[in-house]
Amino acid sequence: MIKTYSLLIVALLFVGTASAEDWRQFRGNDANGVAKGGTPPAAVDDSTLGWRVDLPGRGLASPIVIGDKVVVSASSGGAQERLHVLCFNVADGKLQWERQFWATGRTVSHPKTSVAAPTPCSDGERIFAFFSSNDVVCLDLDGQLQWFRGLTWDYPNSSNSLGMSSSPVVVGKTLVCMAECDDDSFSVGLNVVDGTERWKLAGPRKANWTSPAIWRGEKSEGDRVLLQSSKGVVAVEPMTGKVEWSYEEGASTIPSLVCSKGLAFVPSNGITAIRPSESHPEVPELVWRQGPLSPGTASPVVTGDSIYVINRSGAMTCASREDGERRWQLRLTGAFSGTPVIAGDLMYVANEEGVVQVIRLGATEGTVLTTHELKETVLSTPAIAGKNLFIRSENALWMFTSK
């Protein structure tokens, strides 16, 4: 009996652990905005608010979640020269640790944005925080510094007058950072262990605020990083920096592409769906293109057999992932800088004025279930981990939870 009871406890612990997936980078583990197995609350309001904590500075960076830790970055000071990385306990919002650094690069940015614009990421063992000053910080999960790279020291002409905001991604043993601008424009792959450079690729000399996307292969060694710029998209082998194929018909420099089930959906001439070509390996196959599916600032999200796009006027369109044909459209409230996130058939998105909207996604229509005013500016993308929804406003971090 004791043995059976012990096995039952182990089984329950395993199920609980497996169902509460981390959210380790911008738009989640796969950088696609979809939570696997997440069950956040259907109503975001005062009754589901778990906690709210003030942050020591401004920022657009989204929170990330690793186990019982939620991590976010911020910047403070008259010139935003003070860089913060903060770790809170998921359950109660108590501060576990905070680390501060001086920016070594330029901290000039548009008043709407911040030096803490890029979202941190994690490989489950380390936390990587990237800032608009082109400073890269690597910490362990206890907040101990592992390494620091001031990319501006190596590449002093890499910056733009509006500020950088591309969020890094970690794939295997490589951290990929984009620093594309009007001068020394590049993307770089860094060794996660010591920050040394594995490779560096030149980019178009034009300001770019998109973030890398991840193309998942059948095996982890087949994963690729897709880098989007004004010129188009390149698929890169993350360990070596080898470019495997390139799409060169231009792309947006604000909303980022998303990958799902063998297709990459690129904000290019509306939305263009592409995939690798067997007959011409260096040039991807164009599957479909829909000009009316033109995103604003928010990046597209794909789940199931649908793609969701929010345009500049706040209208969300649901279209088929197979051919891009429109299925339905829903008018949302406000202008959006952050990207929606999805768990099951629920979408969560906050507009710039801090109005959080929860949308039920149906086959023939979408329905706004609840709206909730945070009464604070929100320019970032929410995060989902298990039953919890995390939202970063300009100066605070919020957690809403399913009771």
Side-chain angles (χ1 to χ4, degrees), residues 144-403:
Q144 300 305 309
L145 180 64
Q146 304 301 294
W147 50 265
F148 183 104
R149 281 290 302 270
L151 294 179
T152 302
W153 284 94
D154 300 321
Y155 310 107
N157 293 323
S158 180
S159 69
N160 73 63
S161 59
L162 299 179
M164 318 283 268
S165 67
S166 178
S167 298
V169 297
V170 58
V171 183
K173 299 299 182 181
T174 303
L175 175 71
V176 179
C177 301
M178 293 178 66
E180 294 197 346
C181 60
D182 297 328
D183 200 334
D184 189 358
S185 181
F186 65 91
S187 295
V188 65
L190 304 178
N191 186 325
V192 297
V193 176
D194 57 15
T196 55
E197 200 169 289
R198 295 192 190 278
W199 50 265
K200 176 175 177 279
L201 292 176
R205 297 181 66 176
K206 185 174 182 179
N208 182 20
W209 298 276
T210 65
S211 297
I214 301 175
W215 179 282
R216 294 296 186 191
E218 293 183 1
K219 297 181 180 179
S220 60
E221 58 268 23
D223 292 344
R224 297 293 179 262
V225 176
L226 303 192
L227 305 176
Q228 174 185 328
S229 68
S230 59
K231 186 176 180 180
V233 178
V234 295
V236 177
E237 202 284 321
M239 185 64 76
T240 65
K242 177 185 176 183
V243 175
E244 296 194 340
W245 55 260
S246 59
Y247 165 82
E248 298 184 352
E249 296 186 35
S252 171
T253 56
I254 298 179
S256 302
L257 70 90
V258 63
C259 299
S260 174
K261 297 179 181 179
L263 290 176
F265 302 87
V266 185
S268 169
N269 302 296
I271 293 289
T272 298
I274 59 176
R275 64 186 171 203
S277 171
E278 294 183 2
S279 58
H280 299 87
E282 295 181 356
V283 181
E285 173 189 353
L286 195 156
V287 180
W288 56 259
R289 173 175 288 159
Q290 289 287 352
L293 283 180
S294 184
T297 300
S299 300
V301 186
V302 180
T303 185
D305 62 353
S306 299
I307 176 172
Y308 300 91
V309 176
I310 300 177
N311 66 18
R312 294 187 183 278
S313 63
M316 182 178 72
T317 298
C318 169
S320 166
R321 75 178 300 279
E322 300 302 323
D323 56 18
E325 291 294 328
R326 189 176 81 171
R327 290 175 171 161
W328 50 261
Q329 197 169 56
L330 177 67
R331 172 67 62 179
L332 301 178
T333 301
F336 298 87
S337 285
T339 292
V341 293
I342 295 174
D345 64 348
L346 296 180
M347 173 184 283
Y348 301 82
V349 64
N351 68 20
E352 293 182 358
E353 295 181 351
V355 179
V356 183
Q357 297 161 75
V358 183
I359 302 117
R360 177 83 68 185
L361 304 173
T364 59
E365 65 176 357
T367 305
V368 178
L369 296 181
T370 62
T371 61
H372 181 64
E373 295 186 18
L374 300 183
K375 298 180 180 178
E376 296 184 24
T377 301
V378 177
L379 302 174
S380 65
T381 296
I384 297 172
K387 64 179 182 178
N388 303 320
L389 173 74
F390 300 88
I391 299 175
R392 191 259 177 78
S393 59
E394 194 168 48
N395 295 293
L397 181 62
W398 307 66
M399 189 275 274
F400 295 89
T401 187
S402 297
K403 303 297 184 182

Side-chain angles (χ1 to χ4, degrees), residues 31-72:
N32 62 4
V34 179
K36 296 179 180 178
T39 57
V44 173
D45 53 29
D46 292 338
S47 70
T48 57
L49 177 62
W51 47 261
R52 175 194 178 281
V53 295
D54 290 324
L55 299 175
R58 296 184 59 245
L60 280 64
S62 300
I64 61 171
V65 182
I66 314 103
D68 64 348
K69 306 176 187 297
V70 54
V71 176
V72 71

Side-chain angles (χ1 to χ4, degrees), residues 116-129:
T119 296
C121 63
S122 173
D123 61 359
E125 299 179 30
R126 308 167 189 85
I127 294 163
F128 309 97

